[in-house]
Amino acid sequence: MEADITSQAVGLASSADFSLINLFIRADIVVKSVIIMLIACSIYSWAVIIEKYRLFKKINQSTEEFEAKFWNSKSAETFYNNLPANVQDPMALIFKDAMQNLLKRRSRTDLNNRMTTMLETGIEKQISKITKGFTFLATVGSTAPFIGLFGTVWGIMNSFQSIAISRNTSLAIVAPGIAEALFATALGLLAAIPAVVAYNKFNNDSIKYSQKLENFSKRFLTII
C-alpha cells in the first residue's frame, strides 16, 4: 500500500503544474480567501496610489498658478471678484471662503481672530480631503504581511496533514502546500511594500502642502 502511495506521489510530482493559477485552484478555501483578500487590497491600493499621484501633481501646479496670480493682482477683493465660480484648487477654495467671511464681517472688531480661525478650519478641511485614503494604505502596509503569513502557516499545516495521512515524506506530498504557503507570503509582501512606500511619500507631500497653505494664510492675514 505504501509503495502505491509513493508511486502516486512521484507521478503527482512529475505532472504537477505550479503556475500561479493552479496554485490558487488547488488551495483550500482558507488560503483562497487569503489570496483573494490580498489581491483585492493590492488592486485598491494601486487605485489610491494612482489617484493621489495625479492629485498632488494637479494641486501643486494649480496652487503655484494661483499664488502667482494672487500676489500679482491689484487687491484681494478684486482678485476674489474675478475668481471663477468652479475653482477646485485647495488654496483657492480657502481664499474664497475667507473672503466671503471677510466681506460679511468687515466691521467686526474681532475680525482678525475670526479670519485666523476661518483659515485654519479651511486648511484642515482641505488637508482632510487630500489625505483621504491614507489610512487604507497604512492599514494594508501594516497588516498585509501578517495576512500572508496566516496563509503561509495554514498551507504548511496542510502539508503536515498530507504527510500524516499518506505516511510519506516525499517532496511530492508537501510541495503543493508549501507552494501555496509561499504564494500567500509573496502576495502579502506584494500588497504591503507599495502601500508603505506610497503612504510615506504622500504623507510627506501632504505635510509640505499643508505648510504651503499655512504660509499663504499667514501672508494673507497681513494684507487684510
Side-chain angles (χ1 to χ4, degrees):
M1 180 65 68
E2 292 183 0
D4 293 337
I5 294 175
T6 303
S7 62
Q8 291 175 3
V10 173
L12 177 63
S14 61
S15 61
D17 182 2
F18 287 90
S19 64
L20 299 182
I21 295 177
N22 278 280
L23 287 177
F24 174 78
I25 292 174
R26 287 199 302 264
D28 68 1
I29 187 62
V30 174
V31 179
K32 282 181 179 178
S33 299
V34 169
I35 291 173
I36 292 173
M37 185 184 301
L38 291 173
I39 291 175
C41 289
S42 180
I43 292 174
Y44 190 78
S45 292
W46 277 106
V48 173
I49 290 170
I50 294 172
E51 189 270 332
K52 294 304 176 184
Y53 172 79
R54 291 177 177 176
L55 175 64
F56 277 107
K57 183 178 180 180
K58 177 182 178 181
I59 63 177
N60 284 327
Q61 181 179 357
S62 62
T63 296
E64 288 181 4
E65 293 175 356
F66 171 81
E67 280 195 288
K69 292 178 181 179
F70 175 78
W71 295 116
N72 290 327
S73 63
K74 294 181 180 180
S75 67
E77 188 170 349
T78 301
F79 185 78
Y80 168 75
N81 292 330
N82 295 326
L83 198 65
N86 60 343
V87 64
Q88 297 296 325
D89 179 73
M91 184 177 289
L93 291 173
I94 292 173
F95 166 75
K96 184 178 180 180
D97 292 341
M99 283 301 298
Q100 289 176 349
N101 185 70
L102 176 64
L103 295 176
K104 291 178 181 179
R105 305 176 183 274
R106 187 181 294 276
S107 60
R108 299 293 184 88
T109 56
D110 60 344
L111 177 63
N112 190 67
N113 291 333
R114 289 181 175 273
M115 287 297 297
T116 299
T117 303
M118 185 72 181
L119 290 169
E120 290 176 351
T121 303
I123 292 174
E124 291 178 1
K125 180 180 178 181
Q126 295 303 320
I127 293 299
S128 178
K129 292 181 180 179
I130 292 172
T131 57
K132 185 179 180 181
F134 283 17
T135 302
F136 179 80
L137 292 178
T139 302
V140 171
S142 61
T143 61
F146 295 101
I147 296 174
L149 181 60
F150 172 75
T152 298
V153 172
W154 194 270
I156 293 176
M157 288 172 58
N158 288 338
S159 297
F160 285 145
Q161 288 177 354
S162 298
I163 293 174
I165 293 172
S166 64
R167 298 180 182 179
N168 190 296
T169 58
S170 171
L171 184 61
I173 298 297
V174 299
I178 293 176
E180 295 165 11
L182 295 177
F183 185 35
T185 301
L187 284 178
L189 295 175
L190 184 64
I193 293 174
V196 171
V197 173
Y199 172 79
N200 290 334
K201 180 187 184 305
F202 294 144
N203 187 56
N204 185 58
D205 290 344
S206 67
I207 292 173
K208 290 181 179 179
Y209 192 78
S210 177
Q211 292 174 345
K212 185 180 295 186
L213 295 179
E214 290 176 1
N215 291 336
F216 170 79
S217 298
K218 291 177 181 178
R219 294 177 65 187
F220 177 63
L221 284 172
T222 62
I223 65 173
I224 61 175

